[in-house]
Amino acid sequence: QVQLVESGGGLVQAGGSLRLSCAASGRTFSMYTMGWFRQAPGKEREFVATISWSGGSAVFAESVKGRFTISRDNTKNTNYLQMNSLKPEETAVYYCAASRARIATIGQSYDYWGQGTQVTVSS
């Protein structure tokens, strides 16, 4: 089993940056594809970014490409989402997730989810 805990959310001004962390428990963390999703109130959950188990490949939602980066440190069982140039419309709860699939840009492909961390971007 894998447990995921997100941290690093908070209030930031538009144009600012935040780095979210996802700490995982379990001995098989390095074998999971990791992803980030976000969900605003009343909105559908949307894909943000994913990174392969080795850290060698990553995919980003078009809306965040060039502004967000994703990385992982398997020795620390942690992955990170660096968010730059944040926009107010990106206010949402951000969720970390782990997938046993090779490619995972769809929520249903993920097996484990964290509880989320709130990101609020003010105007």
Side-chain angles (χ1 to χ4, degrees), residues 62-76:
E62 189 67 28
S63 62
V64 307
K65 194 174 298 181
R67 297 186 296 115
F68 289 14
T69 59
I70 187 170
S71 61
R72 64 190 296 163
D73 185 344
N74 290 342
T75 67
K76 297 180 179 180

Side-chain angles (χ1 to χ4, degrees), residues 1-104:
Q1 300 295 315
V2 176
Q3 292 79 45
L4 306 173
V5 180
E6 303 95 335
S7 62
L11 176 64
V12 65
Q13 289 185 315
S17 299
L18 285 173
R19 188 176 79 158
L20 305 182
S21 298
C22 175
S25 65
R27 295 186 296 274
T28 60
F29 171 79
S30 64
M31 300 305 296
Y32 284 84
T33 293
M34 303 300 299
W36 287 91
F37 293 77
R38 63 190 179 192
Q39 187 169 25
K43 301 292 183 65
E44 295 284 331
R45 180 182 59 195
E46 67 172 333
F47 167 76
V48 177
T50 186
I51 187 168
S52 65
W53 68 267
S54 68
S57 299
V59 178
F60 298 91
E62 189 67 28
S63 62
V64 307
K65 194 174 298 181
R67 297 186 296 115
F68 289 14
T69 59
I70 187 170
S71 61
R72 64 190 296 163
D73 185 344
N74 290 342
T75 67
K76 297 180 179 180
N77 287 349
T78 302
N79 82 91
Y80 309 92
L81 182 69
Q82 177 68 46
M83 306 184 295
N84 299 321
S85 301
L86 282 161
K87 305 173 182 179
E89 58 264 37
E90 294 177 310
T91 293
V93 176
Y94 283 68
Y95 296 93
C96 175
S99 175
R100 290 173 289 180
R102 292 288 188 90
I103 301 173

